[in-house]
Amino acid sequence: MFRNWVTFFRFNPDGRKALLMQHTVKLLTLACLFFLSRPTWSFPLSIEESKNYRDIGKYFEYMILPESESSFDRVLREDTIWKPNPRVTISFPRIKDPLWIKITLIHYGNLPHTFFLHFSSPVVDVFELHSQVKGNWVTQWSGEQVLQRNKPLYSHIPAFPITLSPDETRTIYVKINSANPIFNFVSIYNSRSFIAFSKKQDIFFAAYFGAGFMMFLFSIFLAHTLRYKKFFYYFFYLATVLLINSFSTGFIQYIEIGNSHTWKNYLFPITIYLTSVFGLLFTIEFLETEKNFPKITKLTKGFILFFISLIFSIFFLEQRSFIQLGVTLVIVPIFLVLIISLMVFFKSKRKLETLLFLLAFGSILLGGALNTLTVQGWIRPVHLSSYSLPLGSAIEVFFLSMALVLKVSDYRKATEEKQELDLQLKIAQKLQNGLLPQKRTHANGHALGFRYLPATDIGGDFVQIIVKENEIGLFLCDVSGHGIPAAMIASMTKVSLQIWDDSLDKPVYAAERIRLSLLSSLAGHFLSAFFVYINQKDRMIKIANAGHHPMIYLDREGNLEHITSPGRAMNEYVESGLVEKTLSLPDSGTLILYTDGVLEARNANHGELFGGDRFHSLLQTLATKTPQNICDQVITEIEKFQKSKRSDDDITILAISLEKEI
């Protein structure tokens, strides 16, 4: 026969070509039939005891059947069509019907060995595994059923022990009937490597969650001690991050409440939303974006409200969609935080804190991206990528902790400076109290009235009353600004007033001497002042006005008269040019001195000033009142007008009755 074929090819070249063509067509046909029949037939996957670990997701075949037809008997029927798994992971996030997967394993070894088939998923699912052992079909379960019973070493992860004899071939069927998005890494381990893997996981859990718990306690301490909102937000953010990683690492499986684990699968996306909310709140507080980026802050608060509203979608979204929405949208707040961090980094002077913050959220973004790519099957699920999310969050917590340490250091310095400032304020308040007139109701028989309302704890207004036999000196000044600098200048002014005490009947001379003594201390400040000298025996008044409001004379009929004289405020650049003015002393009425805080008191709602007209009208209604009643009523009306007991400027009013009480 062989000779006939040779003869045929030697003497029939045309027939030879036809025969080659015929065989080529047959080979192509067989090849097509082979690949078309590939879904219904698979090669066994060889596993060996010497191989510690192997990803086998791409070797599975799958089939999706309606719930009513998803029994194991139906799966074993010959007319079922299996398709090759399209990815290296088992990823079917949108299917609602039960998913069946199968794989055929063959063990090449000299001794029987127990391998472990491991599924890794961030949500809690029940896996139903069917395999034939010695001619009998055996069913194993993971998830809820296993967790409700004794806990083996691998109870926190879905894993199945599979014992194979040498050269034994076994087909394994796994059913996943999940209300969650299905995405699983599938690996097979030999016994030694799986035990080592479990121990490494336990060590990783202990280290990660131990460090996380320490940071959790540290954040509580910061929040309780410093009372800043950013530390409270960090406390809640860290708590939610730890909770998310308890899902990604499988640690959540250790927690059992009741007979169902459905609550865990709802808690998973809720935690994602809460992490987004507290992460954004922590960002805008830590980076202090309210002042520099008000529009970005408003946008961020809008996203915060959006994520809060998403939590309530649990009531009308199915569990699968609810989880998928959370897993998808979590990238939005991370990118927003990175954008805000970059903006603050390029504008803020405190580069290091912002850089650490940027690195922190960059690491969690990288970890989350690697985890997503691994789940989708685009990256091989080695340990680094499988645990990229907890590793990324661990690095994030580390950088955030360093940033918080810097922040705490700044707050400590600020606290020390505040304590020093408080001490200075107490000293200044004592000086301020010394500047105010002692509780005096009369001066040489004339009734007095006085009220003082500082804009801050320390003011710059100053009143002095000098009483001698048949002589009274009234001095009122207003130092520009308020606070400690103004109070210090007012204090030095009081010391300089000793000059006037020695020459009470010469107010202009005393004023000029006082100005010269203060020149080196004014440091850009200026003060307006009004000097009043009253001689009861000679019935005369002398005044000197250094750029202050005129003195008001209010008679008992309610008539007003403004009394003043030429002169400029005391400062270090221009001479005051004061002119002394002498007047006769009326028999009755009230003299009133006041600072500009009275006229410039502002309404909190519409910004209107109290003004001179309103002040004068008020005084006319108080013409018959005592000086103290006049001062009290003016302050009361100002507080009502501005709807606050605090003003933009110090308010001082001094009054003296011209009738001498017997």
Side-chain angles (χ1 to χ4, degrees), residues 243 247 252 262-272 322:
L243 189 55
F247 281 95
I252 193 69
T262 304
W263 62 271
K264 297 179 184 178
N265 293 331
Y266 280 109
L267 182 62
F268 175 57
I270 290 175
T271 307
I272 291 177
F322 188 61

Side-chain angles (χ1 to χ4, degrees), residues 219-235:
S219 65
I220 294 177
F221 171 76
L222 291 178
H224 176 74
T225 304
L226 298 177
R227 305 286 181 174
Y228 287 103
K229 286 193 294 185
K230 55 178 66 66
F231 294 112
F232 283 103
Y233 293 148
Y234 178 69
F235 161 72

Side-chain angles (χ1 to χ4, degrees), residues 206-374:
Y208 177 77
F209 289 104
F213 184 70
M214 293 300 294
M215 286 305 304
F216 183 75
L217 294 178
F218 178 60
S219 65
I220 294 177
F221 171 76
L222 291 178
H224 176 74
T225 304
L226 298 177
R227 305 286 181 174
Y228 287 103
K229 286 193 294 185
K230 55 178 66 66
F231 294 112
F232 283 103
Y233 293 148
Y234 178 69
F235 161 72
F236 288 111
Y237 173 71
L238 181 60
T240 53
V241 166
L242 290 174
L243 189 55
I244 282 182
N245 282 291
S246 69
F247 281 95
S248 66
T249 58
F251 194 77
I252 193 69
Q253 305 283 36
Y254 282 121
I255 303 173
E256 295 180 14
I257 300 176
N259 296 322
S260 174
H261 290 262
T262 304
W263 62 271
K264 297 179 184 178
N265 293 331
Y266 280 109
L267 182 62
F268 175 57
I270 290 175
T271 307
I272 291 177
Y273 297 137
L274 291 177
T275 302
S276 303
V277 168
F278 290 117
L280 291 174
L281 287 171
F282 175 61
T283 298
I284 60 178
E285 283 295 325
F286 183 88
L287 298 179
E288 299 173 353
T289 61
E290 189 74 44
K291 296 180 180 179
N292 297 325
F293 305 101
K295 293 183 178 179
I296 293 294
T297 304
K298 288 182 180 179
L299 176 65
T300 305
K301 290 180 178 179
F303 273 108
I304 291 171
L305 293 176
F306 171 68
F307 278 101
I308 292 175
S309 66
L310 285 177
I311 296 176
F312 296 98
S313 64
I314 189 175
F315 297 109
F316 53 85
L317 283 181
E318 63 174 356
Q319 180 175 305
R320 177 181 290 99
S321 300
F322 188 61
I323 295 175
Q324 190 70 16
L325 183 65
V327 173
T328 304
L329 291 181
V330 70
I331 200 70
V332 175
I334 297 177
F335 269 116
L336 184 59
V337 167
L338 288 175
I339 292 171
I340 295 173
S341 302
L342 285 171
M343 294 175 63
V344 174
F345 177 75
F346 288 112
K347 188 172 182 179
S348 174
K349 295 180 180 179
R350 307 191 67 84
K351 299 288 187 182
L352 184 55
E353 294 175 12
T354 310
L355 178 61
L356 290 172
F357 194 87
L358 185 61
L359 291 174
F361 278 90
S363 62
I364 191 64
L365 176 62
L366 180 61
L370 285 175
N371 183 265
T372 301
L373 293 174
T374 306

Side-chain angles (χ1 to χ4, degrees), residues 24-273:
T24 302
V25 171
K26 287 183 179 180
L27 289 173
L28 290 174
T29 302
L30 288 174
C32 291
L33 290 174
F34 172 78
F35 285 108
L36 288 174
S37 64
R38 171 69 180 86
T40 62
W41 182 82
S42 60
F43 291 107
L45 174 65
S46 63
I47 55 176
E48 300 176 13
E49 182 181 351
S50 59
K51 293 184 178 180
N52 296 332
Y53 163 83
R54 189 172 183 182
D55 298 316
I56 60 173
K58 63 182 178 181
Y59 299 105
F60 277 87
E61 294 177 303
Y62 78 95
M63 178 173 54
I64 301 172
L65 295 174
E67 179 69 38
S68 58
E69 302 178 15
S70 62
S71 65
F72 184 53
D73 292 337
R74 173 68 177 83
V75 170
L76 292 178
R77 285 170 51 180
E78 294 183 357
D79 61 344
T80 55
I81 299 177
W82 294 88
K83 301 177 183 178
N85 183 35
R87 302 183 181 180
V88 296
T89 59
I90 307 298
S91 181
F92 297 89
R94 299 189 181 278
I95 68 164
K96 299 180 181 180
D97 294 316
L99 171 71
W100 282 92
I101 57 176
K102 78 168 184 175
I103 190 172
T104 301
L105 303 174
I106 183 171
H107 169 41
Y108 290 119
N110 298 323
L111 296 172
H113 188 78
T114 299
F115 297 91
F116 287 87
L117 184 66
H118 170 227
F119 292 85
S120 177
S121 174
V123 291
V124 181
D125 279 323
V126 179
F127 295 82
E128 180 183 319
L129 183 141
H130 301 267
S131 62
Q132 195 172 30
V133 180
K134 296 181 180 179
N136 298 317
W137 286 101
V138 177
T139 303
Q140 296 174 269
W141 290 272
S142 71
E144 293 187 352
Q145 284 84 348
V146 172
L147 287 172
Q148 295 301 317
R149 299 175 182 175
N150 295 330
K151 291 178 180 288
L153 182 66
Y154 48 89
S155 62
H156 64 286
I157 49 178
F160 298 93
I162 301 171
T163 302
L164 296 177
S165 300
D167 299 326
E168 180 183 355
T169 301
R170 185 181 303 177
T171 300
I172 296 169
Y173 299 84
V174 179
K175 178 183 179 182
I176 306 175
N177 191 6
S178 176
N180 309 311
I182 298 175
F183 34 82
N184 292 277
F185 316 128
V186 189
S187 309
I188 194 159
Y189 295 81
N190 63 27
S191 297
R192 185 182 298 104
S193 61
F194 186 75
I195 293 174
F197 166 70
S198 300
K199 289 182 178 179
K200 287 178 182 178
Q201 278 204 321
D202 291 339
I203 294 173
F204 177 79
F205 291 159
Y208 177 77
F209 289 104
F213 184 70
M214 293 300 294
M215 286 305 304
F216 183 75
L217 294 178
F218 178 60
S219 65
I220 294 177
F221 171 76
L222 291 178
H224 176 74
T225 304
L226 298 177
R227 305 286 181 174
Y228 287 103
K229 286 193 294 185
K230 55 178 66 66
F231 294 112
F232 283 103
Y233 293 148
Y234 178 69
F235 161 72
F236 288 111
Y237 173 71
L238 181 60
T240 53
V241 166
L242 290 174
L243 189 55
I244 282 182
N245 282 291
S246 69
F247 281 95
S248 66
T249 58
F251 194 77
I252 193 69
Q253 305 283 36
Y254 282 121
I255 303 173
E256 295 180 14
I257 300 176
N259 296 322
S260 174
H261 290 262
T262 304
W263 62 271
K264 297 179 184 178
N265 293 331
Y266 280 109
L267 182 62
F268 175 57
I270 290 175
T271 307
I272 291 177
Y273 297 137

